[in-house]
Amino acid sequence: MGTHVIKMPDIGEGIAEVELSVWHVKVGDMVVEDQVLADVMTDKAMVDIPSPVHGKVISLGGVPGEVMAVGSILISIEVEGAGNVKESSQPAAVAEAPKPAPVAAAKVEAVVESKPAAPVRPVVPQGPLVARDADERPLASPAVRKHALDAGIQLRLVRGTGPAGRILHEDLDAYLAQGQSNASTAVAAYAERNDEQQIPVIGMRRKIAQRMQDATQRAAHFSYVEEIDVTAVEELRAHLNEKHGATRGKLTLLPFLVRAMVVALRDFPQINARYDDEAQVITRLGAVHVGVATQSDIGLMVPVVRHAEARSLWDSAAEISRLATAARNGKASRDELSGSTITLTSLGALGGIVSTPVLNLPEVAIVGVNKIVERPMVIKGQIVIRKMMNLSSSFDHRVVDGMDAAQFIQAIRGLLEQPATLFVE
């Protein structure tokens, strides 16, 4: 028997260190070739680290949340044969996993003693039932969420046994088998609670926090909100879906918005730009690479629709769908998550009336989409029902003047309210 040591790989692009996000194995586990051992977080994306060998895990080189240098020992595996290290240099096997860092709230609930100065005691509840705050979003795949919806299960009441507390199909089955109905837990919702939860800011959440803080500190944000009548473009969308949906795929509003941005940017090249504030250089780009902000179970990600200026409505729609699926499943590559020149963000039906999106540096503009509502409007002296939507967009005032920002959004408004002009060259 020998030891095969796996070191933190070189992810590329000059990255010297990465953050260990989650282990998928523990000491004593048997692993096979190509099995994912851990996820690590770079500045842009989550990367799987697979095993190149079969064997038994004998030691782990870090804990979730730890920043590790490229080339440092990630994991040691006992293998048949000589392994890849000499006997004298083999790392000592450990009998148990390293002492963990604070784990996610889905794994541990911290219960506070009645004394104010008492320390927090981690308690790991047994069974599939757990109470979360109403606004806490449990980790679960779209398929699991649909399973829960179909079964009438509130995900916040189910304990997840997957990585980082992710809820699996098996957890839903266990919940149902235990007979924990929504009605039986309603009384508990009114019980007095004194527990606290400590949630470590690691992995994707740490990267999001760093980027949001960096953007708000470095850029001179200002927002501009305009109301748009989307009745005509929605009618066009419905017509195209009825005529071509079965063969070309269904269209959402997003491809129309992308097209409107592409056309409007022809007259406002200063908005399709990146600003290097350290070098004091603005780079205007001919290519329009639209970042589409996408919510995933591990946080906000921005996959990029490249060369949107060269795509048809259906091409844009297919690419947006493909990238969104990859991002939500944690499969988006580093290249797919970088290189945008302007960002489009939408909360869909939850879009509210107004929002103030944060810039995705080094970009200088982000277009935010609010929800569509039917409202009475006065048109040519008549009160009619129209579908209205706000665009809440933010700009970097160091680069974009207020007048230019307003005119850019007004250009998008004109294109969407007269959708034929989206395709007139």
Side-chain angles (χ1 to χ4, degrees):
M1 304 294 287
T3 300
H4 186 97
V5 170
I6 301 171
K7 297 183 178 181
M8 186 66 73
D10 184 355
I11 306 297
E13 299 191 21
I15 295 175
E17 58 185 20
V18 296
E19 180 181 328
L20 177 59
S21 181
V22 62
W23 283 111
H24 294 295
V25 297
K26 62 182 182 297
V27 172
D29 283 355
M30 300 300 297
V31 298
V32 297
E33 187 175 353
D34 294 329
Q35 178 179 341
V36 176
L37 303 172
D39 293 341
V40 299
M41 175 63 63
T42 70
D43 287 340
K44 289 288 185 180
M46 192 82 77
V47 179
D48 294 340
I49 306 297
S51 174
V53 297
H54 294 66
K56 179 181 179 181
V57 177
I58 57 175
S59 68
L60 306 178
V63 294
E66 182 177 349
V67 176
M68 302 180 67
V70 170
S72 60
I73 294 178
L74 177 65
I75 187 171
S76 297
I77 299 176
E78 185 180 65
V79 296
E80 295 286 346
N84 66 350
V85 295
K86 296 180 181 179
E87 186 70 24
S88 60
S89 62
Q90 287 185 13
V94 294
E96 59 183 8
K99 183 179 179 180
V103 296
K107 289 285 188 180
V108 172
E109 288 187 336
V111 180
V112 182
E113 297 285 353
S114 59
K115 297 179 181 179
V120 174
R121 265 202 332 258
V123 177
V124 183
Q126 302 297 318
L129 178 64
V130 62
R132 295 183 178 89
D133 292 337
D135 59 351
E136 182 181 345
R137 180 180 173 85
L139 292 178
S141 69
V144 169
R145 293 185 185 281
K146 185 178 186 305
H147 182 177
L149 180 64
D150 293 341
I153 299 173
Q154 297 183 51
L155 279 180
R156 69 183 187 87
L157 300 176
V158 180
R159 178 166 308 286
T161 59
R166 184 183 296 272
I167 298 173
L168 309 175
H169 288 286
E170 293 84 351
D171 300 322
L172 299 180
D173 295 338
Y175 178 90
L176 291 172
Q178 197 179 39
Q180 298 286 357
S181 67
N182 293 337
S184 66
T185 59
V187 176
Y190 292 91
E192 183 176 307
R193 293 179 59 179
N194 296 293
D195 56 295
E196 295 181 359
Q197 295 177 338
Q198 293 183 336
I199 303 173
V201 181
I202 63 174
M204 178 63 77
R205 180 51 54 190
R206 177 186 290 176
K207 294 300 180 184
I208 292 172
Q210 290 173 344
R211 288 184 63 83
M212 294 298 102
Q213 180 174 317
D214 190 41
T216 53
Q217 288 180 343
R218 292 170 60 182
H221 279 74
F222 78 96
S223 295
Y224 178 82
V225 181
E226 180 55 290
E227 186 177 55
I228 299 176
D229 185 340
V230 294
T231 306
V233 73
E234 280 290 277
E235 289 174 351
L236 173 60
R237 185 177 71 84
H239 171 72
L240 292 175
N241 281 340
E242 182 179 358
K243 186 173 183 179
H244 300 292
T247 56
R248 300 187 185 182
K250 296 288 186 179
L251 295 172
T252 66
L253 185 61
L254 289 184
F256 292 91
L257 283 162
V258 169
R259 178 64 185 172
M261 291 165 63
V262 164
V263 175
L265 284 170
R266 295 171 183 171
D267 294 326
F268 298 92
Q270 69 273 35
I271 292 177
N272 190 52
R274 301 190 188 112
Y275 179 40
D276 185 338
D277 52 3
E278 293 183 359
Q280 296 290 292
V281 173
I282 300 170
T283 302
R284 296 182 179 180
L285 299 105
V288 182
H289 302 316
V290 180
V292 181
T294 303
Q295 187 65 40
S296 71
D297 287 341
I298 60 174
L300 183 66
M301 307 180 81
V302 188
V304 181
V305 178
R306 298 191 181 279
H307 290 290
E309 76 280 3
R311 295 181 183 271
S312 69
L313 287 178
W314 284 277
D315 192 8
S316 288
E319 184 67 354
I320 290 170
S321 177
R322 184 190 71 81
L323 290 169
T325 300
R328 293 188 182 110
N329 292 337
K331 300 300 182 182
S333 68
R334 181 179 178 83
D335 288 342
E336 290 172 331
L337 295 169
S338 60
S340 55
T341 61
I342 188 170
T343 293
L344 176 62
T345 179
S346 170
L347 289 174
L350 300 176
I353 299 173
V354 174
S355 57
T356 54
V358 177
L359 290 169
N360 183 23
L361 294 184
E363 298 166 26
V364 300
I366 180 170
V367 176
V369 181
N370 298 116
K371 66 182 178 181
I372 297 175
V373 295
E374 288 190 336
R375 294 221 320 270
M377 302 294 293
V378 178
I379 299 179
K380 296 180 180 181
Q382 301 294 317
I383 297 177
V384 295
I385 302 300
R386 306 294 287 180
K387 292 183 177 180
M388 307 300 295
M389 179 188 75
N390 285 351
L391 285 187
S392 300
S393 304
S394 296
F395 303 86
D396 190 339
H397 219 328
R398 298 174 301 172
V399 177
V400 181
D401 294 333
M403 181 64 72
D404 291 338
Q407 289 177 342
F408 171 65
I409 296 301
Q410 290 297 334
I412 292 177
R413 175 187 177 184
L415 290 162
L416 292 176
E417 291 188 343
Q418 299 291 336
T421 59
L422 290 169
F423 313 102
V424 176
E425 300 298 337

